[in-house]
Amino acid sequence: MTTTPRRPTRQQAAVAELLERCNDFTSAQTVHARLREAGEGVGLATVYRALQAMVEAGTVDVLRTDEGEAVYRACSTHHHHHLVCRACGRTVEVEGPAVEAWTDRIAAEHGFSDVTHTLEIFGTCGDCAP
Amino acid sequence: MTTTPRRPTRQQAAVAELLERCNDFTSAQTVHARLREAGEGVGLATVYRALQAMVEAGTVDVLRTDEGEAVYRACSTHHHHHLVCRACGRTVEVEGPAVEAWTDRIAAEHGFSDVTHTLEIFGTCGDCAP
DNA sequence: CTCGAAATGAGAATCGTTGTCAAAAAGGCG
DNA sequence: CGCCTTTTTGACAACGATTCTCATTTCGAG
Ligand SMILES: [Zn+2]
Ligand SMILES: [Zn+2]
Ligand SMILES: [Zn+2]
Ligand SMILES: [Zn+2]
């Protein structure tokens, strides 16, 4: 399954750069609005297409909020998970080999193959604590 | 945090019973369609309200598909996670104290409090394997 | 039974996301 | 640089899931 390369454009670069300057998970709508504010107008459909391409390319992580909205973030490429402050949105990347091993073992025990998983941790960060 | 009790009705019972007869995660739209087929007409908005109430009451689990659709399932009440076949939807409840401990520890190390997490495992079950 | 509160349902409204398609831009080539 | 083919873009429509509205129905305490 070779991922078809994409022809580079100003719009894709703008989306990628904005996402790298944002440190938190950001929705497509927000990316679109920020680009518009910055004068770098990019069509909404194009923002969606750029984000999807980056997700498929593995340069961006995507997850769903509880409300079902997709949010995106430029991430390091190795497998990891996120610790997200539910007050301010601050995000920390975390890894845990033990968890990886556990999910694979549990799945194998039940006869499942081709296993993937999602794991997100939510809490209140030190700055936002009461 | 006292959960306000809900006045019992035929419609809520119908939703609850249908969900218990379904063994897999089911969308609100599907619940609505099945009830209609069965002659037990229930309004779509009411299906949504019943499902939300059950989620808040803790008698039903909800998770989001990759497409962002909310799917519901009657579940045992203790904390657990799901191993879901991405081909046929078969679902197994799993638990892992080690994972619970790990998420809490990681969060604490980063100064986060009031911690929760989501963890879902996806794979291909034995019956659906090639 | 009577009355006020809560739940329902039909449809409209909202919102994120995807599809459409003509116009614009990229890249290879002479 | 121009020419041509292919890809990308963007304004807007279409879509599907969910929520809102509000008149009507149902609940259940008294
Ligand atoms: Zn915070
Ligand atoms: Zn992992
Ligand atoms: Zn299966
Ligand atoms: Zn857990």
Side-chain angles (χ1 to χ4, degrees), chain B residues 85-90 124-128:
Chain B
C85 174
R86 68 167 72 80
C88 70
R90 188 157 75 85
T124 306
C125 78
D127 298 344
C128 296

Side-chain angles (χ1 to χ4, degrees), chain A residues 38-57:
Chain A
E40 297 243 39
V42 176
L44 178 58
T46 302
V47 170
Y48 275 102
R49 284 185 288 240
L51 290 172
Q52 284 165 346
M54 296 171 89
V55 169
E56 278 159 31

Side-chain angles (χ1 to χ4, degrees), chain B residues 22-91:
Chain B
C22 283
N23 280 24
D24 298 327
F25 278 92
T26 311
S27 72
Q29 308 275 350
T30 302
V31 169
H32 179 242
R34 293 237 182 112
L35 287 175
R36 176 154 298 184
E37 285 172 19
E40 297 242 38
V42 175
L44 177 59
T46 302
V47 170
Y48 274 102
R49 285 186 286 240
L51 290 172
Q52 284 166 344
M54 296 170 88
V55 169
E56 278 160 31
T59 61
V60 162
D61 267 9
V62 59
L63 62 88
R64 295 265 173 187
T65 66
D66 285 347
E67 293 77 39
E69 190 179 26
V71 286
Y72 304 84
R73 187 189 190 214
C75 274
S76 47
T77 56
H78 65 284
H79 179 83
H80 60 266
H81 300 283
H82 300 105
L83 171 57
V84 185
C85 174
R86 68 167 72 80
C88 70
R90 188 157 75 85
T91 303

Side-chain angles (χ1 to χ4, degrees), chain A residues 4-59:
Chain A
T4 317
R6 192 144 225 264
R7 190 180 282 181
T9 63
R10 168 185 76 77
Q11 291 89 339
Q12 289 169 42
V15 171
E17 279 163 30
L18 176 55
L19 210 55
E20 265 155 41
R21 257 178 289 115
C22 283
N23 278 23
D24 297 327
F25 279 93
T26 312
S27 71
Q29 309 275 349
T30 302
V31 170
H32 178 241
R34 293 240 181 109
L35 287 175
R36 175 153 300 183
E37 285 171 21
E40 297 243 39
V42 176
L44 178 58
T46 302
V47 170
Y48 275 102
R49 284 185 288 240
L51 290 172
Q52 284 165 346
M54 296 171 89
V55 169
E56 278 159 31
T59 61

